[in-house]
Amino acid sequence: MKIKIDQLLQEKLPEFSVIGYLMDVENNKTDEVFNLLNNLEVDLKIEEVTNDSLIKETRDGYKRLGKDPSHTRPACEALIRRVIKGIKLYSLGDLIDLGNILSVKTKRSVCVVDANKIAGDVVIRIGCDGEYVDAINRGQINAYNLPVYVDEIGIFGSPTSDTIRTSVTIDTKQILVMIICFGFSNKEENEKLLLDLYQTYANAKNLIKL
């Protein structure tokens, strides 16, 4: 499997990149990860969210593609707003919970999907008119001008939401994790945190950097 960034997306967003890993994991639901999720904190006030430099990177990227980030909110921002408001994040099992923890801590959208449900390589491109993301718990999201993750079957996610088709289930043993970066800042720290979380709490092995 490879991750490819479409030329048009790269031209419009020269700093766009992805931190991506394939890994074999233990698929559990533990108190340890649940407590990490419930003890998340964000050192921001709600009125400061849109001006935070990392969140602004993603929002500005959406705008440059012609997508309103306040209408089609990036997943990282939505999670951070919940934490600031004191609304507990749903615990969906360690693999997804770790992805949400990673997203809040890095202030970047994170994709965690069942790698065995992906057909061929992953292409990240700009969504076309008439395309939709079948978002988990959100119905269909208009993919037009939205960065989307695509395999040989079709769209399986975006920085706003992953999809049902490639979602993690109790049978998942191998995952693809991607941190979506609209800028260059903190990438080394983000990658280290990704590895630390999944190796420590999901016993990740056979890691392949994409």
Side-chain angles (χ1 to χ4, degrees), residues 72 76 201:
T72 307
C76 55
Y201 298 105

Side-chain angles (χ1 to χ4, degrees), residues 32 98 195-204:
E32 197 169 13
L98 289 169
L195 297 174
D196 285 348
L197 286 173
Y198 280 94
Q199 289 177 315
T200 301
Y201 298 105
N203 196 27

Side-chain angles (χ1 to χ4, degrees), residues 80-112:
I80 286 166
R81 286 177 175 274
R82 286 179 64 90
V83 172
I84 293 172
K85 291 177 180 177
I87 303 171
K88 297 297 183 183
L89 302 184
Y90 295 116
S91 178
L92 301 169
D94 288 359
L95 301 181
I96 297 299
D97 291 354
L98 289 169
N100 286 338
I101 292 165
L102 182 62
S103 184
V104 170
K105 286 182 173 292
T106 63
K107 298 178 181 177
R108 285 181 160 136
S109 291
V110 173
C111 171
V112 181

